[in-house]
Amino acid sequence: MPINFHDEHNENSYNSRNADKGWKETIKSLTKGTVINKAADIGCGGGIYTKALSDMGIPYVIGVDFSVPMLRGANQNLAKYDGGISFKKGDAYKTGQPDACFDLVLERALIHHLDDLHACLKEAYRILNENGMLIIQDRTASDCFLEGNKNHIRGYIFELFPRLKNIELNRRHSSRKVKKHLEIAGFKDVKAIKFWETRKKYRSKTDLLKDIAFRKGRSILFELTDAELQQLVSYIDRKLSDEEAVTEKDRWTVWKAVK
């Protein structure tokens, strides 16, 4: 069954890593020349990318999420962080934020969880300042179904359980569809890029397998039974050699649009 973001057991599923340096460099490149004093991370989960935006030098960043357990995990994880960060309860359709108050809105790994893409984009448009920027990062079906290898671990999931492809096909938006709805919502200068993000660097294969066994940061794993999850752990264990470290990467599509 799909992940329940409101389940307290999942409180720490999305707050136990840091955004990769390459991600920050990509966002800096996309926002080059744009003055950003205030940013919103919509669907912030555990606050990983809320913190990343703050680390990039943005003076004030607010993370918005509809899950109380996720927000609690984010607050606990960043309790000692010194940057200008706050977290608020809200959702992608009703963020609870004022009109025209952000220079940048980030929606990372969000839109595939939504039924109404248009409503989400209209809300982002509403809370952005004039000439403010929206950055959406998500996977298309083609991003998901790349062959599995020692870096692209996600590919092994669909290799072992091809039935999960139908779930992905039903929830993933094509790049053309996202562009179309951005323009319908009123955005201009829409462009899309492909981007390989280092998800996490593991000290050993064992550390990776532990994350998978606990369904850390991968909502698709909640579609597997406990028995199937153990099959996947064993399958990936056989696929990977016992090298000291594993660098896991995912391919994403990133859309940039301007209000």
Side-chain angles (χ1 to χ4, degrees), residues 153-161 164 208-209 211-215 218 220-240:
I153 305 301
R154 189 174 297 270
Y156 292 135
I157 300 172
F158 301 104
E159 191 174 299
L160 183 61
F161 298 106
L164 296 180
L208 165 67
L209 296 177
D211 261 13
I212 292 172
F214 284 104
R215 297 182 168 93
R218 301 170 179 85
I220 193 67
L221 296 183
F222 286 82
E223 304 289 346
L224 300 177
T225 66
D226 290 346
E228 288 173 328
L229 188 64
Q230 289 307 310
Q231 289 178 41
L232 178 63
V233 169
S234 298
Y235 185 74
I236 295 174
D237 188 17
R238 295 193 301 270
K239 286 287 187 178
L240 300 179

Side-chain angles (χ1 to χ4, degrees), residues 1-69:
M1 61 184 298
I3 183 173
N4 180 2
F5 289 106
H6 302 290
D7 187 338
E8 292 186 357
H9 292 94
N10 297 326
E11 181 175 308
N12 295 309
S13 293
Y14 289 88
N15 69 351
S16 59
R17 63 184 180 85
N18 292 311
D20 182 67
K21 179 182 177 182
W23 182 89
K24 296 176 186 176
E25 291 174 349
T26 298
I27 300 302
K28 284 181 179 178
S29 175
L30 289 171
T31 59
K32 187 176 181 180
T34 303
V35 177
I36 303 173
N37 291 311
K38 192 174 181 181
D41 178 12
I42 310 300
C44 66
I48 293 170
Y49 292 87
T50 315
K51 178 180 180 294
L53 292 174
S54 181
D55 287 340
M56 289 165 49
I58 299 174
Y60 178 70
V61 186
I62 182 171
V64 177
D65 203 277
F66 76 151
S67 166
V68 172

Side-chain angles (χ1 to χ4, degrees), residues 202-211 243 246:
Y202 294 92
R203 291 176 297 177
S204 68
K205 178 176 71 171
T206 301
D207 290 339
L208 165 67
L209 296 177
K210 284 180 181 178
D211 261 13
E243 47 193 41
V246 177

Side-chain angles (χ1 to χ4, degrees), residues 87-145:
F87 293 100
K88 300 291 182 182
K89 188 175 185 298
D91 63 50
Y93 309 134
K94 294 181 180 179
T95 60
Q97 301 304 304
D99 292 350
C101 62
F102 294 103
D103 304 306
L104 172 68
V105 169
L106 171 68
E107 296 182 344
R108 183 192 178 278
L110 170 69
I111 61 173
H112 67 281
H113 291 297
L114 304 178
D115 295 323
D116 193 339
L117 180 60
H118 180 70
C120 164
L121 299 181
K122 288 297 290 184
E123 177 67 356
Y125 189 90
R126 181 187 68 80
I127 65 175
L128 275 167
N129 290 324
E130 193 67 28
N131 296 316
M133 185 181 298
L134 171 63
I135 291 180
I136 298 172
Q137 179 181 346
D138 216 282
R139 297 185 189 92
T140 64
S142 62
D143 295 325
C144 294
F145 300 150

